[in-house]
Amino acid sequence: MKIWLNLFWKDWHEQKWKLLSLTAIALSVCLALLFQDLGNVAYSLVFTIYAYALFAPILVGMGVCAGEHASGVIRFVRAQPVPVRRVATVRWIVGACVLLIPVFCASAMCWIAMCFNEQESVRTATFFELQSEASETSAMFFISAAGMAACLNLYAWIVAIAVNQRTEFRAGLVGLLVTVGLGVAGISGMSGWENHFPNFSVLNLFCLISGPLVSLGMNDFVRNSLHGFVFIAVVWQLMLTLTLMQVMVFRYGREERWLSLDFFHRTHAAALDSSALGKPRASQWQALLWLQLRQSIPVCTVGLFLVSAIVVASAGFAPDSFDSMYPSIGCVLALLIGVGSFVSELKPDLHMFWRSRPISPGSWFWFKYIGGAIALIGLFDVPCMLLAWSGVVRTASPGIAAVFPMLLHLLCYSLAVFAACSVRHSSYSTVLAVGALLVIIVPELNDFRVPRFLSFLTIWRDAAQASTSLASAFGAHGYPTLWQIGYVAFLRLLPACILIGAIAIPTTFAAAYLVKRDISVGS
């Protein structure tokens, strides 16, 4: 019994700050929406759960399945007189608790707010399309339970597949692939249900009830009185989660070269051959740029492929998916590149190696930062903007407004780099960057009380409306002149660039100063 207690105690101390950070983010988002409109508690809870379920399972999963591998203590864990499976079981349980507690706290806050609001029962019943005003409590409880189940399901899939990755950066990339894959499969299954089962095959049913979307979409089944289907889905999800947990426990700590991302690289024996390394770079800046691009290009290529695959797969039933997937996946890529590539080279052993080379810390930082930004913009944002401008995809942000996601990604990348250079820990740096991004974006939702010139989302909406009006005005009379396009860009795009630059530029210079002075909050 003492062994179990010691293992839980160890993992608790490892995950407690992550739990505090995630709880603060979830409560801050929920509180901001409640402060804006206290009478719309249902919307506040649903938005918080949906936003939380998109990134939190990836963040927690990458630390659970790759934390000990990244820190280099996995061999020490194998040498202890404790079964590795027991260690893996404790890590899985603690990670699940860290993931679910913030959702429970946000739900409790919404329940308390609903108790002090007399009109909330009617608005909640209308929001969930309920017939009885007395069912608002059960509806709120149901959406909270569904959100927890969705987070736990996605977490179980990510940890079972991404376990034993050598770095949290690679585990996060695998988690992103798993999240998008399950989302596409779940949307395909939901489309068969929404069309009243015309082509609802066994494959649709399996994709639907095996992924996280079935939990968030369970209200449709309850509303249509398919309680038998709900019971089957709940039992299946419980069995699937326990099975995925056993898969992770069985695989944890094993040498699985054929399942690792190292499969796509040269083997260690081939790398020892100097002829396989290629010619040395002529200068420092070429070598540093080559190193950063080599790390960033595969991530951006995967992101572009995911956006294209989602747009093609959802063209029939979700034609507006590009507007939601392009900015969201871009922010995840910015976090992966900013946090993953910088933290991996700021570890004590590798950091001391860089300090001993004839390369100044400033040159190392700026070439690495520029290389990541070039890869993110050139291989992800520019192709997506060309898709929007060419009319291949359906978007509500044409013309000048198509540039705004790129500005958002640059801001997210700068915040991720600053968090990585200040904390130097993958999980905590990601939480810090996400929290800073939410502090900037969440107060602007739904016309919150923020001046228009300080609201990035408001400027984005104004630019989209101006671009649409300009395109419609000249739709039958040719194309607008460069002067007219420049005028719209001056009124809409320039304020957004100034706003993003006022945040991103000081943040980036602060990160460069921290690297130059070798200052780390986490050390």
Side-chain angles (χ1 to χ4, degrees):
M1 190 64 183
K2 290 183 178 180
I3 296 178
W4 286 102
L5 292 176
N6 290 333
L7 290 175
F8 276 108
W9 186 255
K10 178 186 75 70
D11 275 273
W12 158 249
H13 279 286
E14 182 179 343
Q15 302 284 349
K16 61 182 180 181
W17 294 113
K18 187 184 299 184
L19 171 62
L20 180 62
S21 303
L22 290 175
T23 305
I25 291 175
L27 293 181
S28 299
V29 173
C30 190
L31 185 61
L33 295 175
L34 287 175
F35 181 74
Q36 174 202 354
D37 187 4
L38 187 59
N40 202 354
V41 178
Y43 172 77
S44 303
L45 179 59
V46 171
F47 181 88
T48 302
I49 290 178
Y50 270 75
Y52 182 84
L54 286 176
F55 80 94
I58 300 177
L59 177 62
V60 176
M62 60 190 279
V64 169
C65 61
E68 292 184 340
H69 294 77
S71 59
V73 300
I74 188 63
R75 294 184 179 179
F76 173 77
V77 173
R78 295 194 195 114
Q80 296 304 305
V82 179
V84 179
R85 293 187 179 183
R86 188 176 298 184
V87 177
T89 302
V90 172
R91 289 186 65 82
W92 196 97
I93 294 174
V94 173
C97 293
V98 170
L99 182 65
L100 298 180
I101 289 176
V103 180
F104 177 80
C105 293
S107 302
M109 178 186 292
C110 290
W111 291 338
I112 294 173
M114 187 179 61
C115 293
F116 290 96
N117 190 359
E118 297 179 355
Q119 298 180 353
E120 176 55 29
S121 60
V122 178
R123 300 189 66 173
T124 303
T126 304
F127 184 85
F128 290 107
E129 300 182 13
L130 301 173
Q131 303 298 327
S132 174
E133 296 182 3
S135 58
E136 75 278 357
T137 303
S138 60
M140 296 289 287
F141 175 79
F142 182 84
I143 196 63
S144 301
M148 292 183 183
C151 291
L152 188 62
N153 177 274
L154 183 57
Y155 164 77
W157 276 106
I158 291 174
V159 173
I161 295 176
V163 67
N164 292 333
Q165 294 298 324
R166 291 199 308 170
T167 63
E168 296 184 4
F169 170 70
R170 296 179 180 179
L173 183 58
V174 174
L176 175 62
L177 294 172
V178 173
T179 302
V180 175
L182 291 176
V184 172
I187 292 175
S188 302
M190 289 294 291
S191 65
W193 158 252
E194 291 174 356
N195 294 326
H196 303 288
F197 305 96
N199 300 311
F200 201 65
S201 62
V202 177
L203 180 60
N204 291 113
L205 180 64
F206 178 79
C207 293
L208 176 61
I209 67 176
S210 298
L213 287 182
V214 65
S215 300
L216 298 179
M218 201 72 75
N219 186 49
D220 293 333
F221 304 121
V222 174
R223 220 171 38 216
N224 289 276
S225 301
L226 294 178
H227 295 90
F229 186 88
V230 174
F231 176 76
I232 294 174
V234 170
V235 173
W236 172 253
Q237 289 243 331
L238 180 60
M239 294 175 58
L240 181 63
T241 301
L242 294 177
T243 303
L244 292 174
M245 174 184 175
Q246 293 302 318
V247 171
M248 180 268 183
V249 170
F250 177 78
R251 292 181 54 200
Y252 188 81
R254 293 174 176 266
E255 294 288 344
E256 298 176 325
R257 301 288 297 180
W258 62 281
L259 284 176
S260 176
L261 289 180
D262 289 339
F263 174 78
F264 298 99
H265 300 287
R266 295 185 179 93
T267 60
H268 180 66
L272 292 178
D273 186 6
S274 60
S275 62
L277 298 178
K279 297 181 180 180
R281 298 299 181 268
S283 61
Q284 292 182 2
W285 70 269
Q286 291 182 1
L288 292 173
L289 280 179
W290 173 84
L291 177 62
Q292 182 63 15
L293 291 175
R294 184 175 178 270
Q295 297 174 347
S296 305
I297 286 176
V299 181
C300 297
T301 305
V302 170
L304 181 61
F305 171 77
L306 291 178
V307 173
S308 303
I310 292 173
V311 171
V312 172
S314 60
F317 52 88
D320 298 330
S321 59
F322 180 81
D323 285 334
S324 59
M325 288 294 102
Y326 168 37
S328 302
I329 293 180
C331 288
V332 175
L333 296 181
L335 290 173
L336 289 176
I337 296 174
V339 173
S341 61
F342 275 83
V343 169
S344 62
E345 297 185 13
L346 287 175
K347 293 180 179 179
D349 49 355
L350 192 57
H351 180 56
M352 294 304 298
F353 170 79
W354 282 115
R355 288 281 178 174
S356 64
R357 300 298 92 187
I359 301 174
S360 64
S363 300
W364 173 85
F365 173 84
W366 286 112
F367 283 118
K368 191 171 184 62
Y369 177 87
I370 294 173
I374 291 175
L376 181 63
I377 295 174
L379 296 178
F380 182 75
D381 284 304
V382 171
C384 290
M385 283 190 294
L386 293 178
L387 290 176
W389 286 340
S390 62
V392 176
V393 297
R394 180 177 175 180
T395 177
S397 300
I400 298 299
V403 185
F404 279 71
M406 182 186 70
L407 298 178
L408 178 63
H409 299 158
L410 285 176
L411 174 62
C412 186
Y413 176 65
S414 299
L415 294 176
V417 171
F418 172 76
C421 295
S422 58
V423 180
R424 302 187 182 182
H425 189 281
S426 297
S427 299
Y428 298 139
S429 299
T430 306
V431 172
L432 180 61
V434 171
L437 190 64
L438 290 177
V439 168
I440 296 171
I441 293 179
V442 169
E444 303 171 359
L445 296 174
N446 296 332
D447 297 329
F448 197 73
R449 298 181 184 89
V450 175
R452 298 185 70 86
F453 66 92
L454 294 178
S455 175
F456 178 75
L457 296 184
T458 301
I459 300 175
W460 188 350
R461 287 193 295 267
D462 294 341
Q465 294 175 0
S467 299
T468 303
S469 302
L470 191 63
S472 61
F474 290 87
H477 307 284
Y479 297 96
T481 62
L482 292 178
W483 182 88
Q484 292 166 329
I485 296 176
Y487 181 73
V488 174
F490 177 78
L491 291 180
R492 307 302 180 191
L493 185 58
L494 182 60
C497 293
I498 295 175
L499 179 61
I500 295 298
I503 302 173
I505 293 176
T507 301
T508 306
F509 275 95
Y513 178 80
L514 293 175
V515 170
K516 182 178 180 180
R517 296 297 182 182
D518 196 14
I519 300 175
S520 174
V521 179
S523 61

